[in-house]
Amino acid sequence: MGSGIAQVAATAGFSVVLRDVSEELCQKAFKGIEKILSRSVEKGKITQDDAKAILDRIETTTDLGAAASAQVVIEAVPENLELKKRVFAELDTICPRETILLTNTSCLPIADIASATQRPDKVMGMHFFYPAPVMKLVELIRGVGTSDETFEMGKSLAISFGKHPVNAPDLPGFIVNRLFVPMVNEAIYLVMEGVKPEDVDASLKLGLNHPMGPLELADFVGLDTLLFAMEGIFEGFGDSKYRPCPLLKRMVQAGRLGRKVGRGFYDYSN
């Protein structure tokens, strides 16, 4: 997600510092962006000069201190609340007081993340969807302390990125995952009850005109990521309708996490 967001920002004309924890990961991210842009050149979507200009606007580093010169920071570390709070606490000491801190979280509470800083008015959520350069939606989430000025700046930034921003509440799942997670959970219950994954997916694709079936999408997202989101929503609302299906838990325990490992509800080994 981090490299995708960096690509989006650079394509929109912003100078970007892409920071990761190792030089190897920095180079992997940069080469990934380079590869995506090369494909766009081959397809005639952009010119070679356009691709070069985008890449020239991206600098990589392993030093979080580089954020000291940033007007806006978009954090995209893994979905772990304590990790995000540690990062925000560190950014709070590095960045100038006027720097806006945005978190790309799919389900974690913005108010809690903002509490790690001395600038909750400058913190808000900006949730991109994978892959960030392609997906048009961005959820904007304001915490209890987010100022109107910060929210409007976040909205303007999303629009400048060519995205469609929606105002989501700081409640578990925001908008998309609050709708998506229960649907996928019910699809998994159907499989547990004996319905074939292919039949579940075909039903939604052909019956509701969904481009992907819920189980195909679950495999694409990652079943561990999905389970994490489900557990967060269930814990946040305390409502049994959000309780993760036992089959999903067993699949994650068994390491069947979806496309990224070659097997989930479907087999991707061939």
Side-chain angles (χ1 to χ4, degrees):
M1 286 300 293
S3 61
I5 294 168
Q7 180 184 329
V8 167
T11 300
F14 294 93
S15 296
V16 178
V17 177
L18 175 59
R19 186 262 178 179
D20 215 321
V21 295
S22 71
E23 183 60 32
E24 180 184 0
L25 289 173
C26 286
Q27 290 306 309
K28 181 180 178 182
F30 190 85
K31 288 177 181 177
I33 295 171
E34 193 173 33
K35 185 176 181 181
I36 291 170
L37 293 175
S38 293
R39 285 202 209 106
S40 294
V41 171
E42 290 171 6
K43 293 178 180 179
K45 293 181 178 180
I46 60 174
T47 66
Q48 187 65 53
D49 287 343
D50 291 334
K52 183 179 183 303
I54 293 168
L55 291 171
D56 286 346
R57 285 193 284 268
I58 300 174
E59 173 188 344
T60 63
T61 184
T62 59
D63 180 15
L64 192 61
S69 61
Q71 293 176 297
V72 176
V73 176
I74 304 176
E75 163 274 317
V77 303
E79 289 284 74
N80 179 290
L81 181 59
E82 292 309 312
L83 174 60
K84 285 185 183 285
K85 290 176 74 170
R86 286 199 301 272
V87 171
F88 269 70
E90 192 171 354
L91 287 169
D92 194 41
T93 65
I94 292 171
C95 299
R97 179 63 184 85
E98 62 272 16
T99 301
I100 291 176
L101 306 179
L102 307 175
T103 175
N104 175 55
T105 178
S106 62
C107 61
L108 296 175
I110 307 305
D112 204 349
I113 295 170
S115 72
T117 76
Q118 299 299 312
R119 63 178 87 192
D121 58 312
K122 297 287 189 182
V123 178
M124 65 177 283
M126 180 178 274
H127 179 209
F128 292 80
F129 292 81
Y130 184 82
V134 176
M135 302 298 281
K136 291 296 183 183
L137 185 69
V138 167
E139 289 179 322
L140 302 179
I141 313 99
R142 62 193 308 162
V144 173
T146 305
S147 70
D148 291 340
E149 181 184 11
T150 295
F151 185 82
E152 289 304 317
M153 187 168 289
K155 183 178 180 180
S156 296
L157 188 63
I159 292 171
S160 71
F161 286 166
K163 303 302 183 183
H164 181 96
V166 294
N167 184 0
D170 191 12
L171 293 171
F174 308 140
I175 294 175
V176 173
N177 279 330
R178 189 169 169 185
L179 295 171
F180 168 67
V181 166
M183 179 189 71
V184 179
N185 201 36
E186 199 61 32
I188 297 171
Y189 267 109
L190 284 169
V191 174
M192 189 174 75
E193 293 160 7
V195 182
K196 293 180 179 179
E198 294 87 349
D199 289 341
V200 174
D201 284 338
S203 296
L204 266 73
K205 286 192 289 186
L206 303 179
L208 296 180
N209 202 30
H210 287 199
M212 289 180 73
L215 301 171
E216 291 175 311
L217 190 50
D219 275 355
F220 184 78
V221 169
L223 302 191
D224 52 339
T225 301
L226 180 63
L227 178 59
F228 178 83
M230 282 188 189
E231 290 175 334
I233 295 173
F234 176 50
E235 180 182 346
F237 285 109
D239 191 325
S240 60
K241 72 181 180 181
Y242 297 116
R243 182 181 290 118
C245 177
L247 175 59
L248 177 61
K249 290 185 177 182
R250 297 295 175 267
M251 291 181 70
V252 171
Q253 289 168 348
R256 292 178 55 171
L257 307 181
R259 281 181 176 270
K260 59 187 174 185
V261 297
R263 192 176 183 192
F265 287 99
Y266 298 96
D267 189 336
Y268 303 94
S269 58
N270 295 321

